[in-house]
Amino acid sequence: QVQLLVPGGGSVEAGGNLTVSCKGHSDNGRLWCMGWFRQAPGKEREGIAAIYLGGPTTHYVDSAKGRFTISQDNASKDTLHLKMSNLKPEDTAMYYCAADYVSCRGVRWDWSGPNQYLLWSQGTQVTVSS
């Protein structure tokens, strides 16, 4: 059984903070490569942060650097967090968690490419009001 669950999301005013979480479980092996994507209406899905849990090493899109933090839960290794601070209206989107078993363990990992991930969660809406 394979599951990626993303409860929550929410609404916040500009400048506020929000954390979204993803719980991943697979009976087929360890999900080493995990990422967060978002998609705003009329726009393509955008990779915003990713982590290789074997490092761990992290990656961020420029617009997220210094504001977003991707991390693994200390207590539950199956749970991934995306802590977002100083949110802006342009961060409004549907957010998705994605995971893969091996794509991040090669020489070069195109972490922001949706095709690098086998598993996807349902989306959770994040709305930032001005």
Side-chain angles (χ1 to χ4, degrees):
Q1 183 181 10
V2 179
Q3 286 185 315
L4 288 181
L5 302 176
V6 181
S11 298
V12 65
E13 292 185 352
N17 305 325
L18 191 68
T19 296
V20 289
S21 300
C22 173
K23 184 170 179 65
H25 172 76
S26 171
D27 294 331
N28 300 323
R30 181 75 187 275
L31 295 167
W32 288 106
C33 324
M34 300 192 76
W36 285 99
F37 287 73
R38 66 186 179 189
Q39 189 167 17
K43 294 188 177 181
E44 294 186 353
R45 190 166 295 192
E46 175 189 32
I48 52 175
I51 185 169
Y52 164 45
L53 296 176
T57 55
T58 58
H59 307 271
Y60 297 93
V61 70
D62 285 347
S63 62
K65 290 178 181 177
R67 299 191 301 127
F68 293 7
T69 302
I70 187 171
S71 64
Q72 185 181 31
D73 189 274
N74 289 330
S76 173
K77 298 302 181 184
D78 291 336
T79 300
L80 186 72
H81 302 298
L82 182 69
K83 299 179 182 178
M84 302 180 286
S85 61
N86 190 22
L87 282 161
K88 304 175 182 180
E90 51 264 42
D91 294 318
T92 295
M94 190 74 76
Y95 282 68
Y96 299 88
C97 174
D100 197 82
Y101 299 102
V102 296
S103 64
C104 57
R105 305 186 77 178
V107 175
R108 291 184 179 182
W109 180 31
D110 179 18
W111 66 268
S112 63
N115 62 359
Q116 298 287 301
Y117 301 86
L118 181 64
L119 307 173
W120 289 84
S121 70
Q122 80 282 4
T124 188
Q125 180 67 38
V126 172
T127 301
V128 184
S129 58
S130 57

